[in-house]
Structure formats: C-alpha cells, structure tokens
Amino acid sequence: MGLFSPSKVAYAHCDLMCGVYDPAQAKIEAMSVLKACEKYAASDDETFRQRAVLIKEERAELVKHHLSVLWTDFFKPHHVEAFPELHDTFWKAIKAAGDAKKSMDVEVSKKLIAAIDDISGIFWKTEESKASGVYPQ
Amino acid sequence: MGLFSPSKVAYAHCDLMCGVYDPAQAKIEAMSVLKACEKYAASDDETFRQRAVLIKEERAELVKHHLSVLWTDFFKPHHVEAFPELHDTFWKAIKAAGDAKKSMDVEVSKKLIAAIDDISGIFWKTEESKASGVYPQ
Amino acid sequence: MGLFSPSKVAYAHCDLMCGVYDPAQAKIEAMSVLKACEKYAASDDETFRQRAVLIKEERAELVKHHLSVLWTDFFKPHHVEAFPELHDTFWKAIKAAGDAKKSMDVEVSKKLIAAIDDISGIFWKTEESKASGVYPQ
Amino acid sequence: MGLFSPSKVAYAHCDLMCGVYDPAQAKIEAMSVLKACEKYAASDDETFRQRAVLIKEERAELVKHHLSVLWTDFFKPHHVEAFPELHDTFWKAIKAAGDAKKSMDVEVSKKLIAAIDDISGIFWKTEESKASGVYPQ
Amino acid sequence: MGLFSPSKVAYAHCDLMCGVYDPAQAKIEAMSVLKACEKYAASDDETFRQRAVLIKEERAELVKHHLSVLWTDFFKPHHVEAFPELHDTFWKAIKAAGDAKKSMDVEVSKKLIAAIDDISGIFWKTEESKASGVYPQ
Amino acid sequence: MGLFSPSKVAYAHCDLMCGVYDPAQAKIEAMSVLKACEKYAASDDETFRQRAVLIKEERAELVKHHLSVLWTDFFKPHHVEAFPELHDTFWKAIKAAGDAKKSMDVEVSKKLIAAIDDISGIFWKTEESKASGVYPQ
C-alpha cells in the first residue's frame, strides 16, 4: 500500500502530486461490466436483462471517466517520453469501454479488462505510483 | 484477485450475488480526503484551499455512497449474525465520512480510513468476498 | 410544520442540528416507484415499459440515498439507545429499495413504502424531528 | 395522503397522469437553503462557511430542478387557463432560487420559501393533485 | 462569436450578465435525441434499441435542463415585455422534450428541434445575446 | 448546419456514426470558465468569489468530459493517421482544462479556449464532421 509504505516519504516531499490515483477504480467497474454480461447471458427474465443493459451502461461510463482522469491528471510529459505508446493505449482502452457499452458479449468485457491491466502495468512502473496508488498489482 | 481465482466457481453457482463489491472503492476516496486535508494544511493560497474543501466534500460523499452500497447490497442476514457489530460499524464509518466533510483535520480523515479498514477486515472474512472482491488486503 | 412552530426556538439554540431532514423525501420517491410498477403492468407498449424500468431504477436509487442520509446524518447515538431496532430497520428498508429495483411487482413497492412509514414513525417520535422535519405525519 | 385516499380511484382511471408530484420536494430543499444561511450567519469558522455556500448552492439547484419538473410535467394547458399567472409564478420562483444561490441573506431564502408556498397553493387547488400529491398542505 | 466581437465591450460594462448562455447547448442534445430515434427505427437489435431508449432519455433530460437554465437565468423581465409569448414558448418546448422522452417517433424529435429553433430566434434578437451567446444562428 | 445539409445523405448511409458531436459543447463551457475568472477578478465580495471558484470547477469538469467524449467516441483510427498530433492535442487540451480548474488567471482560461479552437479546427477538417457537427466554425 503505497501511501503507508516508505515511499510515502517521497510523496511528502513532492509538491506536484495532487491526488490519489489508482487503476483499481477502473478495474472494479470493468469487473461489474463483465458480471453484468455474464448474468445477462444466464437470464431469460426481460426486466432483469433490461436492468443488466442499464447497469452495464453506467459502469462502463464510470470506466471511461476513471481512465480519462488517470490519463490526463496522473500522467505527465516525462511519462509520455518513457512510455511512447501511452496515449494510444488509453485511447484504445477508453474505446474498449465504449465497445463494452454496445455489446453484451463477455469477450468484449474481457478485452476491456485486459486493456485496463495494460494501463495498470504502466502505472505501477512509474515512480509516482508509489505515492499515488493504493492497490499495487 | 477473487474473480479469477478458483473461488469464481462458487460464484458461478451463486444466484444471489449480483455485482462486484470491494471496500477498495471507499478506501481510495478516503485516501483522497486525507490528501486534500494534508494539502490544505500545507498551502496558504486562498483558491487552492477553497478547492481542497470542495474536492474533499465530493470525495467524502463518494465514501458515504460506496459504504452504503456495501452495507445494504453485499451484506446479507447471515453476515449480520456472524458479525453482530456490522450495522454499528457501518453507521460509525459513514458518520466518520460525514465528520471528514466537516473538518480539515488530518486526524479526522485518518479515523475514517481506520473505520474503512475495519470494514475491509470484515468483508474479506466473508466467504462471498472471494467471488465479489477484487483487491484482497 | 416543525420549522415554523414553537419548536423552532429550540432549534435556534441547537448548535448540533445541521440540516433539514424529512422521511417525506424517501416516501415521495417510493411512491414514484410504486406508480412506475402500476403503469408498467397496465401497458403493453415496449418503449413505455422500458422507460418504466429505467425511471423506477432512478427513483429507487433516490430512495436509497435519502434513507442513507437520514440514517447517518439525522440519527444520533442516543436515538440508537432509544430505538434499538433502528439500524436493522434502516438496513431492511434500504434493502427493500434494492428489491424494488429488481422487481416490477407492485407488492414489492408497497413493502418499501411500508418500511419507509416505519422509519417515519420513529423519526417523528424524536424530539429533534420537530426542528428538522417539514411534513409531520 | 392523496394516493391512499378515495381520490386514488380518480387516478386509477386517469391515463394521462404519469408520476408523483409534490411541491414538498422543493419546499424541503428550500428549507435547507434557509438553514444554510442561518448557520452561515451564526458561524465564524472559515471552512464551515465555505461548506455552507457550497451546500446552499446544491440545495438551491435542487429547488430549481423540482420546480421545473412541476411546471412542465405536472401542469397541463387547462391549468394555465385556470391559473393565468402560472408561468410567471414559476418563473419568479425559479429566479428566487437563483437569487438564493447568490446571497447568504436569510430574507432572500424566505422569499424563495414564500414563492414555493404560492405554487403549493395552486398545486393543491388542482383536481389532479389529489392523485399525484403526497403531502397536502 | 459574441464574446470576441465589439459587443464584448458592452458586456464588460454590464454587471448583471452572469454567465455564458447559448441555445446551441439544447440544440445539440436535441439533435442527439433525433439521431437516437432514427437509429432505433433502423435497427432490429434488442440491446441496441434498449440503449437508444436509454440514451435518448438522458439527452432529452439535458435538453430540459438547458432550456430551463436559459429561461430563468438569461431572460429578464424586460424580455418578457418585449416577447410576451416567452413563457409559453419555453413551457411548450420543455414539454416537447418530455414528449420526446416518451416517443421513438422521429417527428416528435423534429418538433422539439423546431421549438428550440424558435427559442433561438428570440434569444438572438435580444441585445444581451451578443455578449452571452457563442454560436449565432 | 451539417445535419440538414446535403452531407446528411452521406450520414444516412453510414452505419458507424453513432451520435452528434460538436466541439461547440466544450467551447461554451470553456467560455463560462473564462467569464467566471473575469468576474472573480472584478469582485471583492467573498461569497461571490467562492461561488466563482465553485462554478468554474464544474464548468471545467464539463469541458474535460466533452473533450474526452470527442476524443474517444468521434475520432477513429484513420483520423489518427491523418492527424498524427491528435492524441497529444487532446491530452494537452484536457490538461489545460485541469489547469483552468486550479487557477483564477484569465490567461489560463484563454489557453484552454485556444486549445479547444485547435481541436475544433481538426474536427471540422474531417469528412465525418459534416454529418455529426451542428455549429461549423
């Protein structure tokens, strides 16, 4: 847990960090998207299925929001230099969240989760994640 | 990661579970509350301090929301039997989030985080957390 | 109307009261949940029925929110002593709002309304309700 | 309580009514606006006063929302004929909510409450309020 | 573009203007409502159609919000004198947005757009629009 | 107006387009951010200034949202090929919205508006903007 580990000392001296960031937020919502698809497929109750579509829409929107915040608030120019694929990775991950809105296919949700895991991999390679993140992989 | 571990099999047979739950969501927001207080204390810029109050308010509201969802959506009657202090623990934790709205005192935020950690402890003792949770302690 | 009655004098000297609370807010939304179910049952228009599911979901979510606020912001430890069933009553009422999300059955909505009426009964027995409440039963 | 009184029979035969409406929702939020102003005036704590401004802003926004819904969703052309001042009354009431956002003056909040009471007076004179309203004056 | 044109000088001396207003916001959302209806009609995919209903509901709600803000925040008493039909025009336009929620009929959406165009016509005839508006017709 | 021009024919045959997009939405909110800064600077009323900070925060958040939607929902891989700077332009524009949250400096708001104008320039160069956009530059 970065904030309570020795790395917190680094944070305490860091004027530029301005918040807590963790890909866990996007991941948890993406897990809900996946479960909504699984449950949709397993049910033949009309109201249940409608609610699954509705709830999945909200959860996928939250994924988009959390990823967008991470991309523009946590990552800094030196990260873009270190990870030249950063922008494209985020763009595709947010698009994957959009795809997950459009589809009830479990595979589409799994691609979204994989895309978030890729972002998580980059996030936890950064020095700043130690002070900002809460749930290391 | 509960969802991809063997415990997922249990989940697959569980008709009553209906979503992904994880105290991590409340914890991350509570960490933001704490940081907002720390930064408020360290700044003498009027606009910055106003924004810290404002952002802390939103984050603490999200803590309340995540805790309320956990309390009523995840926990079931047999959990209340197993953890008789469950209701009171949640009540005090959500009140602690309310206290954190009212105060810029770092200690108040830390009490909120401790309260969430207590809830997290209970959560991860439940059998159902293995299928519902994402970030085990 | 508590706020404009003599009890307001008490309020004026009470530093701890911090807002207006009234179970009426939860009740009105629960009434909308009930009507959405009644209208759903009476219609065979596909779009109308989808919208009923959607609107009911939002209204039931507002019920949950209003009840959660009441539970943690209005009620104080001495109320829990006076009404030992308080936590469980709220827990079940908020769960009833969750049940009302899942079902189009009018009876499920009526149970939610009955649960709110129980809470309303407790609320208006408190001394503090006279200064905080607006629509006495 | 309209919905459980004999007037509900009328409602049951009314295809056009589509929801629960009650000026109580706007009134309760306006009461919170008033209390926020009173507490602001009584406090000299900087953070408390900032939060009072913030919370009042949200509550007044909710007043605007509830009034707007009432105006366009509940009222029908025959009401405009019966109450020719209807549009202007709502316009001024919603403007009063805007004024209440801009000011910490208790008198401004009281004008807002009076404006809502006027609307409530009109609302409860309508035949339809018996089936739609929940908290008769 | 009013804000960068000579009319900005007038704005700079105008203490009463308090924001940027433009019917374009309502128009863009109404266009989305129309497209959602067109796409709904052209599709026979159940999930797609459910999402069209859902997205249209949100977009129409935003139309209502933008129109309500315009009506009560931008327009002043002297506008009501100059445009006596102002209140009724807004009332009917917001009702048209409500109708657009209830229907998947493309014609209903087109009526909403026409109603917004009428409001836009009034808006851009006002002197104040030059300083407040961004996208003149 | 793209939607009502001959280009609409192209749209009618385009299965992939799924909504109305227009940088005007981000621009209008960014204009509000600018005005909030101008008014803040011109006022010495404490409550007014607090509200300016608060309203600016909300408006800048809406700018971020609208830009994020534009980036991931409107733009497609062939646009990234045609405009290789696309990702970086959006990243910097959304960061500029974040900067505008942090500052009351009018110049910071103007940089945000300039960044949106750059995006608008790219948007209206795309073929797809003719069917999706509403307010051509």
Side-chain angles (χ1 to χ4, degrees), chain B residues 23-44:
Chain B
Q25 291 184 299
K27 176 77 172 271
I28 292 170
E29 301 299 352
M31 288 296 203
S32 293
V33 169
L34 172 61
K35 275 211 180 175
C37 292
E38 287 173 348
K39 287 174 175 295
Y40 177 93
S43 167
D44 55 5

Side-chain angles (χ1 to χ4, degrees), chain A residues 27-134:
Chain A
K27 176 77 172 272
I28 291 171
E29 300 298 352
M31 289 297 203
S32 293
V33 169
L34 172 61
K35 275 210 182 174
C37 292
E38 287 173 348
K39 287 174 175 297
Y40 177 93
S43 168
D44 55 5
D45 177 79
E46 184 197 4
T47 303
F48 182 91
R49 286 163 69 99
Q50 278 183 30
R51 292 186 66 235
V53 172
L54 170 60
I55 289 165
K56 183 174 65 76
E57 191 86 12
E58 291 176 351
R59 297 298 121 185
E61 180 62 28
L62 285 170
V63 172
K64 293 177 92 166
H65 173 72
H66 287 307
L67 290 179
S68 182
V69 166
L70 208 58
W71 182 52
T72 52
D73 292 3
F74 174 78
F75 286 102
K76 301 283 178 292
H78 70 275
H79 296 130
V80 179
E81 278 179 46
F83 305 99
E85 77 287 9
L86 188 78
H87 292 342
D88 212 54
T89 303
F90 269 99
W91 193 57
K92 284 171 181 160
I94 302 180
K95 274 189 176 297
D99 291 343
K101 278 191 181 178
K102 288 171 202 149
S103 166
M104 299 312 289
D105 185 344
V106 165
E107 294 310 311
V108 175
S109 301
K110 286 185 178 167
K111 276 184 194 160
L112 170 60
I113 291 168
I116 294 170
D117 285 342
D118 286 349
I119 284 171
S120 197
I122 296 174
F123 176 84
W124 288 108
K125 276 185 202 144
T126 68
E127 185 61 26
E128 292 81 358
S129 67
K130 292 172 192 164
S132 283
V134 182

Side-chain angles (χ1 to χ4, degrees), chain E residues 20 22 32 48 54 66 78 93 97 122 133:
Chain E
V20 175
D22 199 315
S32 293
F48 182 91
L54 170 60
H66 287 309
H78 71 276
I122 296 174

Side-chain angles (χ1 to χ4, degrees), chain E residues 101-117:
Chain E
K101 278 190 180 177
K102 288 170 201 150
S103 167
M104 299 311 290
D105 184 343
V106 165
E107 294 310 311
V108 175
S109 300
K110 286 185 178 167
K111 276 183 196 162
L112 170 60
I113 291 169
I116 294 170
D117 285 342

Side-chain angles (χ1 to χ4, degrees), chain A residues 18 72-73, chain B residues 51, chain F residues 33 56-57 60-61 63-64 67 91-103 108 112:
Chain A
C18 52
T72 52
D73 292 3
Chain B
R51 293 185 65 235
Chain F
V33 169
K56 184 175 65 74
E57 191 85 12
E61 180 62 28
V63 171
K64 293 177 93 165
L67 290 180
W91 193 56
K92 284 173 181 160
I94 301 180
K95 275 189 175 298
D99 291 342
K101 279 190 180 178
K102 288 170 203 152
S103 167
V108 174
L112 171 60

